[in-house]
Amino acid sequence: MAADELEAQLAAPEYVFDFSGGRLCLDFINTVGSRAHPKERLNSYSDLLSWARQAGVLSERDAQRLARAAKRRPDEAAQTVADAVRLREAMFRILTGAAARRPQRPDDMNMLNTALARALAQVRLDASAQGCVHVWAGDGDQLDRMLWPVLRSAMDVLTSDEERERIHKCESPTCDWLFLDTSRNRSRRWCDMKSCGNRAKARRYYERHKGHA
């Protein structure tokens, strides 16, 4: 990828991402629509930075620093996006499989574990009067650093029996988004009532009334 092409991507209008998944890893998985008819939202390194800023994973300052690094290393930036999308799809299969108690694909687990090992190698503990907190260390110019918290989130969800069992896929036939159902009786059916939920209500209304027209 040429540097001027990347610069044009970085200057493009920003897409506003949705964060209704309930966990960071699910919000990352939801950066594409239905897998049958995908509407990809991570088409460039600029898109990856935009998602990370909106998710609160990167500060504005860190995002600008990575944007400058990506301009210097456009081929690496393009590879980072391709790797992020492959990892996202592996995580989708792993999390939906875990929720359904299906056997996992070894190649997906190998991909996740390899990426997770790289991410966890960047974790450091900082001590304060209030206790210890984990922080992300490492080189500030590492272009995949926005994926590290995503991987940590996936590990936390997959190793929690309660959260793993609350993973659901939106019931809309045109949506594959995942969410953590935190409702008391686990009755949530849609990724978002304002989108898929309202469309389902509209379809039911139409079906009920078309016979009376």
PDB file of all heavy atoms in Angstrom, residues 9-32:
ATOM      1  N   GLN A   9      -6.983   7.495   3.327  1.00  0.00           N
ATOM      2  CA  GLN A   9      -7.879   6.729   4.196  1.00  0.00           C
ATOM      3  C   GLN A   9      -8.000   7.376   5.566  1.00  0.00           C
ATOM      4  O   GLN A   9      -9.088   7.453   6.142  1.00  0.00           O
ATOM      5  CB  GLN A   9      -7.359   5.298   4.344  1.00  0.00           C
ATOM      6  CG  GLN A   9      -7.448   4.472   3.076  1.00  0.00           C
ATOM      7  CD  GLN A   9      -6.818   3.099   3.242  1.00  0.00           C
ATOM      8  OE1 GLN A   9      -6.195   2.812   4.257  1.00  0.00           O
ATOM      9  NE2 GLN A   9      -6.974   2.251   2.234  1.00  0.00           N
ATOM     10  N   LEU A  10      -6.884   7.862   6.094  1.00  0.00           N
ATOM     11  CA  LEU A  10      -6.892   8.477   7.410  1.00  0.00           C
ATOM     12  C   LEU A  10      -7.702   9.769   7.433  1.00  0.00           C
ATOM     13  O   LEU A  10      -8.218  10.179   8.468  1.00  0.00           O
ATOM     14  CB  LEU A  10      -5.455   8.750   7.879  1.00  0.00           C
ATOM     15  CG  LEU A  10      -4.608   7.504   8.163  1.00  0.00           C
ATOM     16  CD1 LEU A  10      -3.157   7.892   8.381  1.00  0.00           C
ATOM     17  CD2 LEU A  10      -5.131   6.757   9.378  1.00  0.00           C
ATOM     18  N   ALA A  11      -7.813  10.421   6.279  1.00  0.00           N
ATOM     19  CA  ALA A  11      -8.541  11.680   6.201  1.00  0.00           C
ATOM     20  C   ALA A  11     -10.014  11.499   5.839  1.00  0.00           C
ATOM     21  O   ALA A  11     -10.773  12.458   5.796  1.00  0.00           O
ATOM     22  CB  ALA A  11      -7.875  12.600   5.169  1.00  0.00           C
ATOM     23  N   ALA A  12     -10.444  10.255   5.592  1.00  0.00           N
ATOM     24  CA  ALA A  12     -11.825   9.989   5.177  1.00  0.00           C
ATOM     25  C   ALA A  12     -12.793  10.244   6.333  1.00  0.00           C
ATOM     26  O   ALA A  12     -12.406  10.201   7.498  1.00  0.00           O
ATOM     27  CB  ALA A  12     -11.943   8.543   4.699  1.00  0.00           C
ATOM     28  N   PRO A  13     -14.078  10.515   6.023  1.00  0.00           N
ATOM     29  CA  PRO A  13     -15.076  10.716   7.087  1.00  0.00           C
ATOM     30  C   PRO A  13     -15.159   9.510   8.006  1.00  0.00           C
ATOM     31  O   PRO A  13     -15.033   8.371   7.560  1.00  0.00           O
ATOM     32  CB  PRO A  13     -16.382  10.921   6.303  1.00  0.00           C
ATOM     33  CG  PRO A  13     -15.958  11.357   4.939  1.00  0.00           C
ATOM     34  CD  PRO A  13     -14.645  10.682   4.679  1.00  0.00           C
ATOM     35  N   GLU A  14     -15.401   9.760   9.280  1.00  0.00           N
ATOM     36  CA  GLU A  14     -15.376   8.700  10.278  1.00  0.00           C
ATOM     37  C   GLU A  14     -16.733   8.012  10.395  1.00  0.00           C
ATOM     38  O   GLU A  14     -17.765   8.666  10.527  1.00  0.00           O
ATOM     39  CB  GLU A  14     -14.963   9.271  11.624  1.00  0.00           C
ATOM     40  CG  GLU A  14     -14.788   8.234  12.706  1.00  0.00           C
ATOM     41  CD  GLU A  14     -14.242   8.835  13.985  1.00  0.00           C
ATOM     42  OE1 GLU A  14     -14.874   9.753  14.532  1.00  0.00           O
ATOM     43  OE2 GLU A  14     -13.179   8.380  14.431  1.00  0.00           O
ATOM     44  N   TYR A  15     -16.721   6.688  10.341  1.00  0.00           N
ATOM     45  CA  TYR A  15     -17.926   5.891  10.569  1.00  0.00           C
ATOM     46  C   TYR A  15     -18.159   5.787  12.076  1.00  0.00           C
ATOM     47  O   TYR A  15     -17.205   5.623  12.854  1.00  0.00           O
ATOM     48  CB  TYR A  15     -17.751   4.500   9.961  1.00  0.00           C
ATOM     49  CG  TYR A  15     -18.868   3.543  10.282  1.00  0.00           C
ATOM     50  CD1 TYR A  15     -20.086   3.642   9.626  1.00  0.00           C
ATOM     51  CD2 TYR A  15     -18.710   2.552  11.247  1.00  0.00           C
ATOM     52  CE1 TYR A  15     -21.124   2.763   9.918  1.00  0.00           C
ATOM     53  CE2 TYR A  15     -19.739   1.670  11.543  1.00  0.00           C
ATOM     54  CZ  TYR A  15     -20.944   1.784  10.874  1.00  0.00           C
ATOM     55  OH  TYR A  15     -21.968   0.932  11.169  1.00  0.00           O
ATOM     56  N   VAL A  16     -19.418   5.877  12.508  1.00  0.00           N
ATOM     57  CA  VAL A  16     -19.756   5.765  13.926  1.00  0.00           C
ATOM     58  C   VAL A  16     -20.116   4.304  14.212  1.00  0.00           C
ATOM     59  O   VAL A  16     -21.107   3.779  13.713  1.00  0.00           O
ATOM     60  CB  VAL A  16     -20.929   6.690  14.300  1.00  0.00           C
ATOM     61  CG1 VAL A  16     -21.293   6.507  15.769  1.00  0.00           C
ATOM     62  CG2 VAL A  16     -20.565   8.146  14.017  1.00  0.00           C
ATOM     63  N   PHE A  17     -19.291   3.650  15.023  1.00  0.00           N
ATOM     64  CA  PHE A  17     -19.478   2.243  15.330  1.00  0.00           C
ATOM     65  C   PHE A  17     -20.523   2.049  16.425  1.00  0.00           C
ATOM     66  O   PHE A  17     -20.820   2.954  17.198  1.00  0.00           O
ATOM     67  CB  PHE A  17     -18.153   1.612  15.771  1.00  0.00           C
ATOM     68  CG  PHE A  17     -17.165   1.435  14.651  1.00  0.00           C
ATOM     69  CD1 PHE A  17     -16.266   2.435  14.334  1.00  0.00           C
ATOM     70  CD2 PHE A  17     -17.151   0.269  13.908  1.00  0.00           C
ATOM     71  CE1 PHE A  17     -15.354   2.286  13.302  1.00  0.00           C
ATOM     72  CE2 PHE A  17     -16.250   0.098  12.873  1.00  0.00           C
ATOM     73  CZ  PHE A  17     -15.340   1.111  12.565  1.00  0.00           C
ATOM     74  N   ASP A  18     -21.058   0.832  16.475  1.00  0.00           N
ATOM     75  CA  ASP A  18     -22.039   0.452  17.493  1.00  0.00           C
ATOM     76  C   ASP A  18     -21.322  -0.310  18.613  1.00  0.00           C
ATOM     77  O   ASP A  18     -20.414  -1.102  18.348  1.00  0.00           O
ATOM     78  CB  ASP A  18     -23.122  -0.438  16.871  1.00  0.00           C
ATOM     79  CG  ASP A  18     -24.204  -0.806  17.868  1.00  0.00           C
ATOM     80  OD1 ASP A  18     -23.994  -1.755  18.650  1.00  0.00           O
ATOM     81  OD2 ASP A  18     -25.251  -0.152  17.864  1.00  0.00           O
ATOM     82  N   PHE A  19     -21.758  -0.064  19.845  1.00  0.00           N
ATOM     83  CA  PHE A  19     -21.141  -0.737  20.993  1.00  0.00           C
ATOM     84  C   PHE A  19     -22.226  -1.310  21.904  1.00  0.00           C
ATOM     85  O   PHE A  19     -22.298  -0.994  23.085  1.00  0.00           O
ATOM     86  CB  PHE A  19     -20.235   0.232  21.751  1.00  0.00           C
ATOM     87  CG  PHE A  19     -19.052   0.701  20.942  1.00  0.00           C
ATOM     88  CD1 PHE A  19     -19.122   1.873  20.206  1.00  0.00           C
ATOM     89  CD2 PHE A  19     -17.898  -0.053  20.896  1.00  0.00           C
ATOM     90  CE1 PHE A  19     -18.038   2.295  19.439  1.00  0.00           C
ATOM     91  CE2 PHE A  19     -16.813   0.354  20.135  1.00  0.00           C
ATOM     92  CZ  PHE A  19     -16.886   1.529  19.402  1.00  0.00           C
ATOM     93  N   SER A  20     -23.051  -2.166  21.335  1.00  0.00           N
ATOM     94  CA  SER A  20     -24.151  -2.765  22.089  1.00  0.00           C
ATOM     95  C   SER A  20     -23.856  -4.199  22.502  1.00  0.00           C
ATOM     96  O   SER A  20     -24.729  -4.881  23.033  1.00  0.00           O
ATOM     97  CB  SER A  20     -25.446  -2.719  21.258  1.00  0.00           C
ATOM     98  OG  SER A  20     -25.276  -3.386  20.017  1.00  0.00           O
ATOM     99  N   GLY A  21     -22.626  -4.672  22.275  1.00  0.00           N
ATOM    100  CA  GLY A  21     -22.312  -6.060  22.574  1.00  0.00           C
ATOM    101  C   GLY A  21     -22.189  -6.366  24.056  1.00  0.00           C
ATOM    102  O   GLY A  21     -22.391  -7.501  24.473  1.00  0.00           O
ATOM    103  N   GLY A  22     -21.813  -5.362  24.837  1.00  0.00           N
ATOM    104  CA  GLY A  22     -21.697  -5.578  26.278  1.00  0.00           C
ATOM    105  C   GLY A  22     -20.311  -5.950  26.741  1.00  0.00           C
ATOM    106  O   GLY A  22     -20.018  -5.867  27.936  1.00  0.00           O
ATOM    107  N   ARG A  23     -19.454  -6.373  25.849  1.00  0.00           N
ATOM    108  CA  ARG A  23     -18.055  -6.663  26.151  1.00  0.00           C
ATOM    109  C   ARG A  23     -17.217  -6.212  24.955  1.00  0.00           C
ATOM    110  O   ARG A  23     -17.659  -6.288  23.814  1.00  0.00           O
ATOM    111  CB  ARG A  23     -17.822  -8.156  26.429  1.00  0.00           C
ATOM    112  CG  ARG A  23     -18.442  -8.659  27.719  1.00  0.00           C
ATOM    113  CD  ARG A  23     -17.797  -8.036  28.942  1.00  0.00           C
ATOM    114  NE  ARG A  23     -18.367  -8.525  30.194  1.00  0.00           N
ATOM    115  CZ  ARG A  23     -19.381  -7.958  30.836  1.00  0.00           C
ATOM    116  NH1 ARG A  23     -19.980  -6.887  30.308  1.00  0.00           N
ATOM    117  NH2 ARG A  23     -19.814  -8.438  31.984  1.00  0.00           N
ATOM    118  N   LEU A  24     -15.997  -5.789  25.246  1.00  0.00           N
ATOM    119  CA  LEU A  24     -15.147  -5.231  24.194  1.00  0.00           C
ATOM    120  C   LEU A  24     -14.931  -6.211  23.055  1.00  0.00           C
ATOM    121  O   LEU A  24     -15.000  -5.843  21.875  1.00  0.00           O
ATOM    122  CB  LEU A  24     -13.801  -4.812  24.803  1.00  0.00           C
ATOM    123  CG  LEU A  24     -12.830  -4.098  23.859  1.00  0.00           C
ATOM    124  CD1 LEU A  24     -13.388  -2.748  23.432  1.00  0.00           C
ATOM    125  CD2 LEU A  24     -11.469  -3.923  24.538  1.00  0.00           C
ATOM    126  N   CYS A  25     -14.686  -7.477  23.388  1.00  0.00           N
ATOM    127  CA  CYS A  25     -14.434  -8.450  22.325  1.00  0.00           C
ATOM    128  C   CYS A  25     -15.658  -8.627  21.425  1.00  0.00           C
ATOM    129  O   CYS A  25     -15.529  -8.813  20.209  1.00  0.00           O
ATOM    130  CB  CYS A  25     -13.993  -9.780  22.907  1.00  0.00           C
ATOM    131  SG  CYS A  25     -15.172 -10.554  24.035  1.00  0.00           S
ATOM    132  N   LEU A  26     -16.856  -8.555  22.007  1.00  0.00           N
ATOM    133  CA  LEU A  26     -18.075  -8.691  21.206  1.00  0.00           C
ATOM    134  C   LEU A  26     -18.284  -7.468  20.326  1.00  0.00           C
ATOM    135  O   LEU A  26     -18.719  -7.589  19.175  1.00  0.00           O
ATOM    136  CB  LEU A  26     -19.277  -8.928  22.111  1.00  0.00           C
ATOM    137  CG  LEU A  26     -19.184 -10.140  23.037  1.00  0.00           C
ATOM    138  CD1 LEU A  26     -20.457 -10.275  23.871  1.00  0.00           C
ATOM    139  CD2 LEU A  26     -18.924 -11.419  22.244  1.00  0.00           C
ATOM    140  N   ASP A  27     -17.979  -6.292  20.853  1.00  0.00           N
ATOM    141  CA  ASP A  27     -18.086  -5.082  20.034  1.00  0.00           C
ATOM    142  C   ASP A  27     -17.121  -5.142  18.853  1.00  0.00           C
ATOM    143  O   ASP A  27     -17.445  -4.671  17.753  1.00  0.00           O
ATOM    144  CB  ASP A  27     -17.794  -3.844  20.880  1.00  0.00           C
ATOM    145  CG  ASP A  27     -18.903  -3.533  21.871  1.00  0.00           C
ATOM    146  OD1 ASP A  27     -20.063  -3.852  21.574  1.00  0.00           O
ATOM    147  OD2 ASP A  27     -18.605  -2.976  22.942  1.00  0.00           O
ATOM    148  N   PHE A  28     -15.949  -5.712  19.074  1.00  0.00           N
ATOM    149  CA  PHE A  28     -14.996  -5.854  17.975  1.00  0.00           C
ATOM    150  C   PHE A  28     -15.508  -6.848  16.945  1.00  0.00           C
ATOM    151  O   PHE A  28     -15.436  -6.603  15.728  1.00  0.00           O
ATOM    152  CB  PHE A  28     -13.642  -6.300  18.518  1.00  0.00           C
ATOM    153  CG  PHE A  28     -12.579  -6.410  17.461  1.00  0.00           C
ATOM    154  CD1 PHE A  28     -12.079  -5.275  16.845  1.00  0.00           C
ATOM    155  CD2 PHE A  28     -12.094  -7.651  17.074  1.00  0.00           C
ATOM    156  CE1 PHE A  28     -11.106  -5.367  15.855  1.00  0.00           C
ATOM    157  CE2 PHE A  28     -11.120  -7.756  16.091  1.00  0.00           C
ATOM    158  CZ  PHE A  28     -10.622  -6.610  15.480  1.00  0.00           C
ATOM    159  N   ILE A  29     -16.050  -7.959  17.398  1.00  0.00           N
ATOM    160  CA  ILE A  29     -16.614  -8.954  16.488  1.00  0.00           C
ATOM    161  C   ILE A  29     -17.749  -8.351  15.659  1.00  0.00           C
ATOM    162  O   ILE A  29     -17.940  -8.701  14.488  1.00  0.00           O
ATOM    163  CB  ILE A  29     -17.111 -10.173  17.287  1.00  0.00           C
ATOM    164  CG1 ILE A  29     -15.912 -10.986  17.793  1.00  0.00           C
ATOM    165  CG2 ILE A  29     -18.041 -11.050  16.464  1.00  0.00           C
ATOM    166  CD1 ILE A  29     -16.273 -12.065  18.783  1.00  0.00           C
ATOM    167  N   ASN A  30     -18.462  -7.387  16.230  1.00  0.00           N
ATOM    168  CA  ASN A  30     -19.613  -6.791  15.558  1.00  0.00           C
ATOM    169  C   ASN A  30     -19.241  -5.668  14.589  1.00  0.00           C
ATOM    170  O   ASN A  30     -20.106  -4.875  14.215  1.00  0.00           O
ATOM    171  CB  ASN A  30     -20.601  -6.256  16.602  1.00  0.00           C
ATOM    172  CG  ASN A  30     -21.232  -7.363  17.415  1.00  0.00           C
ATOM    173  OD1 ASN A  30     -21.142  -8.537  17.057  1.00  0.00           O
ATOM    174  ND2 ASN A  30     -21.863  -7.006  18.524  1.00  0.00           N
ATOM    175  N   THR A  31     -17.987  -5.622  14.158  1.00  0.00           N
ATOM    176  CA  THR A  31     -17.600  -4.610  13.167  1.00  0.00           C
ATOM    177  C   THR A  31     -17.874  -5.080  11.741  1.00  0.00           C
ATOM    178  O   THR A  31     -17.374  -4.494  10.780  1.00  0.00           O
ATOM    179  CB  THR A  31     -16.109  -4.237  13.321  1.00  0.00           C
ATOM    180  OG1 THR A  31     -15.313  -5.432  13.291  1.00  0.00           O
ATOM    181  CG2 THR A  31     -15.867  -3.485  14.618  1.00  0.00           C
ATOM    182  N   VAL A  32     -18.674  -6.118  11.605  1.00  0.00           N
ATOM    183  CA  VAL A  32     -19.153  -6.559  10.303  1.00  0.00           C
ATOM    184  C   VAL A  32     -20.595  -6.994  10.499  1.00  0.00           C
ATOM    185  O   VAL A  32     -20.986  -7.396  11.596  1.00  0.00           O
ATOM    186  CB  VAL A  32     -18.283  -7.718   9.748  1.00  0.00           C
ATOM    187  CG1 VAL A  32     -18.438  -8.959  10.588  1.00  0.00           C
ATOM    188  CG2 VAL A  32     -18.615  -8.017   8.295  1.00  0.00           C
TER     189      VAL A  32
END
